[in-house]
Every structure is written in C-alpha cells, then in structure tokens.
Amino acid sequence: MSAETHPQRETHSFQAEIQQLLSLVINSLYSHQEIFLRELVSNASDALDKLRFRSITEPELLKDEPALELRIVPDADKGTLTIEDTGIGMTHDELVKNLGTIAHSGSREFLQALAQKGKTDVQLIGQFGVGFYSAYLVADRVEVVSRAAGEASAWKWASEAHGTFTVEPAEKATRGTAITLHLKADQKEFLDEWKLKQLITQYSDYVGHPIKLQVTKHVGSGDTQATEQALEVVNKASALWQRAKSEITDEQYQEFYKHLTHDFDSPLAWTHFKADGTQQFTGLLFVPKHPPFDLNSQQQRGVRLFVKRVFIMDRCEDLVPQWLRFVRGVIDSDDLPLNVSREMLQDSAVVRAIRKHVVKKSLDLLEKLAKDKPDDYRTFWESFGTVVKEGLTLETEYREKLGALVRYESSREEGLTSLADYVGRMKEGQEAIYYVYGESRKAVADSPHLEALKQRGYEVLFMTDPVDEWAAQGLREFQGKPLVSALNADLKLQSTEEEKKAKEQQSEGLKGLTDKMKDVLKEDVREVRVSDRLTDSPVCLVVSEGGTPAYLERLLKERGKGMPRIKRILEVNPKHPVIEHLRGLIASNPAAPQVGEWIELLHDQALLTEGSPLSDPNRFARRMTALLTQVATGIPAAQVPPPAATATATQTQSS
C-alpha cells in the first residue's frame, strides 16, 4: 500500500484485496443496501464494549465523556447520515490499517472462495463480514473522524472508494468515532426518521448501549409553534440474552444472530439458557446454516464472553471445544472477575463448568434439530458433519451422544442414515456394524470387500470423509454393536461348521497356488490366504493389524505425513474361474513363465480396487496387452509368451 504525504494530508492506496472487496460489496449487494446500518451500528457497539472493558483497569479513559452511547444524525440539507460512538476510537495508524487493509487472517482464502463460487455469492460475502465497507452501498463518499481514548489528537479518514483514501489531522472534542456517509442521490430514504427508527428496531434493538437518533420535535402551539432537534433513544438498550425467553420473538433471535456474526442467513437453530447452580451464567448459542469459508483453518471459536454484561473477549476458545467451533453465541458469567485474562481462563474451574454446560446444550440442540427438523439437520450435517466427527477422536465422554448424531451414506439406498436406524435394520444374527472407507461413494460401493456382506444382506456404511477412519476408531461401538471395517483382515463372518470345514479343505487344496503367490509377491504382501469375503472377484487386499487403508495412506502422503506402508494380506477366492484355472496351470506346469506374470497382474488388480497406485503402470499395461492377445488369438495359455518377451520380439521385428 503506497502513501503520498503532504504537509497536512496523506494519500494512500487501498490494499488490492480491499479494492476487490469494495467492488464485490458495491456490485453484489445492491438488493441489501439497508444492512449497512446494522453493520456500522455493530462496529460502533464493539468499540463501546472494548472501551468499557479497558476502563475497568483504566478509568481515566472515561473522564472526558462518561456516557457510552451511539448517536445517529441525519442531515437532509447536506444529504449526510452520521453514525457516531463514544467508544475506544482509533489512532492515525489504526485508521490506515483498519480501513485500508484486510487484517482478517483468511482474506486470501476468502477471495479465492469468492472466485470459485462467483462474485454474486451474497451469503459468502456475509460470512466474511461486510463491516465498514457496507457504507458504500448507500454512499459515494465516506468520512471518518476518530479520536482514540486517552489521546489528545484526532484524525480524519476519507475516500470515494476509487482506489485511494486520505488521512489528515482533525478536530474532535471527545474520544470516539464519527462516520459520515454522503448518501447517493437514490439513497436519500435513509434520512427519513421513520425509516431509521424501523431499521434500528429491526436490526439493533438488542444492542446493549443506547442508540440515540436525532429527531425533529414540534414545541409550542399555534403561532408560537416551532421545531427543534433532539436526541431520542430508539432501542431497548438491554442485552438480548438477559431478557426472558417469553419476551423475545424468533425474528429478534435471528436478527441478533446476524448482528453477532454478520451472516446474511438466519440460523438453523438456537438455545437460550440460564444456569443458577454453583455457577451463575446465561448463554445464547446458535447453529449456523452454512460454514464460514475458513472453517477448517480457524483455530479460535465463535462464542463471545461477557462478565456481568461487560464484554471481555471475542471467540473465547476456552468455552467451546475445537469440534464445536461452528457454534456461535454469547456466554455471560456472574462469577468470573472483570479483569480476567486468557491465562486465568485456562485454569478456571468456573470456565470448565461453563464449557461442560455449553457442550451439553449444544449436543441437546443438535439432537432436537435432528428429531424435529430432519431436513434442516441434513443441511447442518452436510455443512458441519466433518467437524462434529472430530469429537469422536477427542472426547470419549460424549462418544455415545456423538454416535447418535453422525450420519453416513450406506449400501441400502441413496441418502444419509443414522447409526440408530442402521442398528434397527440389522439382520438376525448380524453381530457388527460394517463400514468401508474410501474416497467417494462411487469408489467404495462396488468394492470386492463387500461381496460376502452383500450376499448375507448386511448393510454397509460408506465412510468417505478424511476424518472417518479415526472417527470410527474413536467411536468403536454403538448400542453395544462394534464397528468393523470391511477392509480389515480380521473380518469375522458367522459360518456354520460345514462352511468352516469346507474352507479348510479349500485352503489345503490351494496350498500349491498360495505358496507360489507368496513366493512371487514376497516383497509386496505379508500373507496369501483363502478368502470368505469374496464371491465375485478373484482377489483382494485386506489391511493387516496396525495397517491403514489405502485412501488414508494417500491422504497422509499428500499432506507430507507419509508413513512406511505395512504389507497387506492378499485373499483369493477359491471358487473363481481365474483362480481355479491358475491352480490347474501350476499343477500341470509350475515353471510356466506366465504364472508369475498373472500373479502380479492379479496383485495389481487388487491394488487398483483398493485405490492404491501401481508401482509400474507400464508393466501392468503390457501384461494386460498379453492377456488380451491370448483372448483375441485363442492361443493356449501355456503358449502365450510373457509380456516382456512379447515386447522384445516386437522390437526385434521392427529392427
């Protein structure tokens, strides 16, 4: 950001991201102009909250202006609307930084997300927080005069949003910030008293500081009647969460949520509660409809902490676990000291009790949403399900409650199912909840690992989130039924004594083949054994104890966290024609060169079906070519030269 300095005035260029954001706001939110007032009042309210908090330890900051309030002054003659607060104010450097750059840590990700979703995605812009720049929805010029608390000098910031802004010394009698909007010709309706009262009541009635609107009053009567300007408190100026629930409408809850989060959409659900036990605190928690664009990168939480109605800190991470980071709201404690620090919060028994209550209320809210509004819960799960499942790996205390909340696709039909519904549909004699882990439904639905399960009529859950394998290991069981991966080597399916005896005989009959396969694949597999999970496919690879599924291995490698690959177990289907033919070939001609090639080809096939990369794709292609040549020409298997020999012969003939 460049700056051109004059004796009294500095001219700065906006950061490139700010210029892009301004363009998006002005061009994308044309049908939502009125939200500018909510945004500016919200910012002013935050400035007042910050000053009230600082004044606890620095009471001298209030000496020039004891009142903490907002003032809204329309001026029809000048065509301006001024929003002024007596809050913390800004220094010269803070004006340049806060109004000329994006301090938000995710600004680059935000702009990338906009580019992907389209510049007219109002909901996404709302997630980022339009804030101060929403002023340009209704104004073609904005002036900001601010004096920081405890400072003697004031500064004026001004811009027409054409790429630059100016900063120069100004006069201001008291601390705080005054934002003056020079309204566009077609936006003069925002100078109307009735219109402003209606917007303040609709969007900002719950702001905990007085919002005073300058109104015109008639005094006297008859010939002596005159008009005068006066400031009139428009809002109730009481914290919404401190009011009785019976006094608050759904619309007021929704508008408070928008004030708190800068979200354009209403929340899916909320819970308003008061604890009067050992600790006394009030809470108001919301579940958003859509995730913020930086949900997976943000470490802080979305709950504000107040103490005795005094704002203490934004996004208090000690109140909410990481796996509930999507929850938004406020907690107001009567027991914490006003000068509480982050270090004190980490060691506070009061905070631990509040946190436990917040978790319980959040889970209860989600349970109620799932029960009463399944469509809304589906929307929630699609947005935040991955985050919720993190709790299964982190919090054993809430394992059963979280297990009741998770949803998965399954082999039964399209759509999501709960574990409770899965258990209710289990076949007689089925002892476990079966799942398969992979990249997508398409990748796992026809996996050979499911063949015997499907044959028995067992439903299989499709786990396709990167966190799912860890989540399943964290959950372990649900309603007494263990979760078992269809990819694991120790998959135990109920068998009759006759079936067990038949498998033993098959293993003995295939010993020559399995020994040969072990020898050929000794560098690649840990063991070769007869399978009871395959019905249609000739082979599959299963995960041995301590191993990780192929999809998870790939994810870890892509993120630079690769680990040594633990050898798989190769299972063979004794009834498959390919296996029977290969067994016969080994019995008649164990030294046939095709045997090793075909064993490796079967192994490559198993790698592909589990989603693993091939070590030598070109060699695999040559093997396939040789096999297709055999089919096309009808040459007996024993007479088809191995792929390497075929390639050499072809090269010789060409020469």
Side-chain angles (χ1 to χ4, degrees):
M1 182 175 65
S2 62
E4 179 186 350
T5 306
H6 297 284
Q8 293 294 320
R9 177 183 297 170
E10 304 167 7
T11 301
H12 299 257
S13 297
F14 280 117
Q15 181 190 37
E17 287 87 349
I18 284 288
Q19 192 61 37
Q20 187 176 350
L21 180 60
L22 279 167
S23 175
L24 292 168
V25 168
I26 294 169
N27 296 321
S28 300
L29 302 183
Y30 54 84
S31 61
H32 298 76
Q33 289 98 330
E34 64 186 31
I35 61 97
F36 83 92
L37 191 60
R38 182 187 75 196
E39 298 291 324
L40 296 182
V41 167
S42 180
N43 289 347
S45 175
D46 288 345
L48 291 165
D49 284 338
K50 290 173 182 176
L51 177 63
R52 183 163 61 174
F53 178 60
R54 278 189 58 184
S55 68
I56 296 169
T57 55
E58 303 174 71
E60 67 276 6
L61 296 179
L62 298 176
K63 64 182 180 180
D64 64 339
E65 174 59 88
L68 295 176
E69 62 185 27
L70 292 88
R71 303 166 191 143
I72 299 177
V73 180
D75 189 326
D77 294 335
K78 295 181 180 179
T80 62
L81 180 68
T82 300
I83 297 93
E84 183 176 8
D85 66 70
T86 59
I88 196 70
M90 287 179 280
T91 64
H92 167 279
D93 292 346
E94 287 170 338
L95 277 171
V96 173
K97 178 183 177 182
N98 295 343
L99 305 187
T101 64
I102 295 181
H104 195 292
S105 61
S107 59
R108 195 169 303 278
E109 290 85 353
F110 161 70
L111 293 167
Q112 290 173 350
L114 277 178
Q116 292 172 0
K117 292 199 173 186
K119 295 183 179 181
T120 58
D121 193 331
V122 172
Q123 175 259 320
L124 190 58
I125 297 173
Q127 289 175 3
F128 184 76
V130 174
F132 168 75
Y133 304 105
S134 64
Y136 288 100
L137 291 169
V138 296
D140 47 25
R141 177 177 173 81
V142 178
E143 297 172 354
V144 181
V145 176
S146 192
R147 177 178 163 186
E151 298 288 332
S153 58
W155 295 88
K156 177 182 177 181
W157 180 101
S159 178
E160 296 177 358
H162 292 155
T164 63
F165 62 90
T166 61
V167 179
E168 59 186 301
E171 296 294 327
K172 196 174 190 304
T174 59
R175 65 160 196 277
T177 300
I179 301 175
T180 299
L181 313 182
H182 294 260
L183 298 178
K184 299 174 184 177
D186 60 349
Q187 302 296 333
K188 297 300 175 65
E189 63 174 319
F190 295 109
L191 297 174
D192 181 76
E193 289 179 14
W194 181 88
K195 178 73 172 178
L196 291 170
K197 284 184 179 180
Q198 181 256 327
L199 292 177
I200 293 169
T201 302
Q202 178 182 352
Y203 290 127
S204 308
D205 194 45
Y206 34 74
V207 170
H209 305 281
I211 301 176
K212 295 182 176 180
L213 174 66
Q214 180 173 287
V215 298
T216 301
K217 290 191 173 182
H218 296 279
V219 295
S221 60
D223 295 338
T224 62
Q225 188 180 47
T227 59
E228 65 178 21
Q229 304 295 317
L231 289 171
E232 178 182 291
V233 177
V234 180
N235 67 320
K236 290 183 179 179
S238 63
L240 182 86
W241 58 89
Q242 290 294 338
R243 301 183 201 168
K245 289 189 282 187
S246 59
E247 298 175 3
I248 308 172
T249 65
D250 288 353
E251 290 73 18
Q252 288 174 317
Y253 278 122
Q254 291 165 358
E255 287 305 329
F256 177 73
Y257 166 79
K258 293 175 182 178
H259 158 84
L260 192 71
T261 64
H262 300 281
D263 196 346
F264 280 90
D265 282 317
S266 296
L268 284 172
W270 58 85
T271 180
H272 188 182
F273 55 90
K274 189 167 188 175
D276 291 314
T278 309
Q279 283 86 30
Q280 292 188 330
F281 58 90
T282 302
L284 178 53
L285 305 176
F286 297 91
V287 174
K289 183 180 291 186
H290 301 289
F293 67 93
D294 59 348
L295 176 68
N296 292 326
S297 62
Q298 71 179 30
Q299 298 302 311
Q300 294 179 317
R301 321 302 193 265
V303 174
R304 291 187 179 188
L305 175 64
F306 288 75
V307 174
K308 299 179 179 69
R309 270 63 68 199
V310 176
F311 172 76
I312 302 299
M313 68 181 65
D314 199 6
R315 295 187 173 188
C316 184
E317 57 191 64
D318 296 289
L319 295 178
V320 185
Q322 176 76 359
W323 52 274
L324 283 177
R325 60 183 178 270
F326 54 85
V327 173
R328 299 290 182 262
V330 297
I331 293 293
D332 192 344
S333 171
D334 289 339
D335 300 306
L336 289 168
L338 286 170
N339 61 348
V340 65
S341 65
R342 289 192 181 274
E343 290 72 23
M344 291 172 63
L345 287 174
Q346 292 172 357
D347 298 325
S348 170
V350 175
V351 171
R352 287 194 292 272
I354 294 175
R355 175 190 171 105
K356 191 167 185 176
H357 206 80
V358 167
V359 172
K360 181 182 183 304
K361 286 294 183 180
S362 298
L363 294 178
D364 288 347
L365 180 61
L366 293 176
E367 286 178 6
K368 189 174 187 302
L369 182 65
K371 179 181 177 182
D372 297 344
K373 298 180 178 180
D375 289 341
D376 283 351
Y377 188 76
R378 190 176 301 110
T379 298
F380 159 78
W381 188 256
E382 289 170 353
S383 295
F384 303 108
T386 298
V387 179
V388 172
K389 284 183 284 192
E390 292 176 13
L392 290 168
T393 69
L394 301 171
E395 303 270 3
T396 57
E397 181 180 356
Y398 304 106
R399 184 183 295 153
E400 193 70 18
K401 275 185 166 289
L402 288 172
L405 291 173
V406 297
R407 300 291 186 268
Y408 293 107
E409 289 191 283
S410 83
S411 58
R412 178 173 176 265
E413 58 184 24
E414 295 283 344
L416 299 175
T417 185
S418 68
L419 294 181
D421 288 342
Y422 178 102
V423 171
R425 294 191 296 264
M426 285 175 61
K427 295 285 185 180
E428 184 177 352
Q430 183 178 342
E431 297 178 345
I433 298 171
Y434 296 105
Y435 70 91
V436 61
Y437 179 65
E439 186 172 5
S440 64
R441 179 188 180 97
K442 185 178 181 181
V444 300
D446 294 321
S447 169
H449 300 83
L450 311 187
E451 290 173 1
L453 295 172
K454 288 181 178 179
Q455 188 181 57
R456 286 169 166 79
Y458 293 171
E459 183 176 357
V460 182
L461 299 175
F462 298 155
M463 298 191 177
T464 55
D465 272 344
V467 73
D468 274 336
E469 182 67 17
W470 290 294
Q473 292 172 11
L475 182 58
R476 295 205 296 271
E477 65 174 36
F478 182 77
Q479 294 184 358
K481 302 293 184 181
L483 270 71
V484 175
S485 172
L487 304 176
N488 285 354
D490 60 349
L491 179 69
K492 294 181 176 65
L493 299 176
Q494 278 192 329
S495 302
T496 63
E497 289 301 321
E498 291 77 9
E499 289 172 334
K500 291 177 182 178
K501 188 174 182 180
K503 183 179 178 181
E504 291 175 2
Q505 293 174 345
Q506 290 166 346
S507 298
E508 187 63 30
L510 281 176
K511 193 172 187 310
L513 173 60
T514 55
D515 286 347
K516 180 66 175 180
M517 296 179 88
K518 286 179 190 177
D519 182 57
V520 172
L521 301 174
K522 59 187 175 184
E523 300 299 325
D524 300 300
V525 301
R526 175 180 174 182
E527 181 186 346
V528 180
R529 70 186 187 190
V530 172
S531 176
D532 58 4
R533 80 182 76 208
L534 295 173
T535 61
D536 301 320
S537 302
V539 294
C540 73
L541 288 167
V542 296
V543 181
S544 53
E545 185 177 356
T548 53
Y551 177 47
L552 185 55
E553 280 186 346
R554 193 164 75 251
L555 285 176
L556 292 172
K557 186 175 181 180
E558 289 172 355
R559 297 175 185 180
K561 299 179 181 179
M563 57 183 67
R565 178 184 171 92
I566 296 178
K567 291 181 180 180
R568 304 277 197 265
I569 295 173
L570 182 69
E571 291 192 351
V572 299
N573 178 0
K575 298 179 181 179
H576 196 279
V578 170
I579 299 300
E580 291 180 342
H581 181 75
L582 196 53
R583 180 181 61 177
L585 180 60
I586 289 176
S588 61
N589 186 9
Q594 293 82 7
V595 171
E597 294 288 342
W598 289 353
I599 289 173
E600 290 186 4
L601 184 62
L602 286 171
H603 178 249
D604 284 347
Q605 176 186 322
L607 285 171
L608 289 174
T609 56
E610 77 158 4
S612 291
L614 301 180
S615 59
D616 189 348
N618 292 325
R619 185 174 176 83
F620 172 74
R622 291 196 299 270
R623 292 192 193 107
M624 286 299 299
T625 300
L627 183 60
L628 291 171
T629 300
Q630 174 199 335
V631 173
T633 60
I635 301 175
Q639 299 178 22
V640 178
T646 303
T648 304
T650 302
Q651 292 170 359
T652 303
Q653 290 175 1
S654 299
S655 301

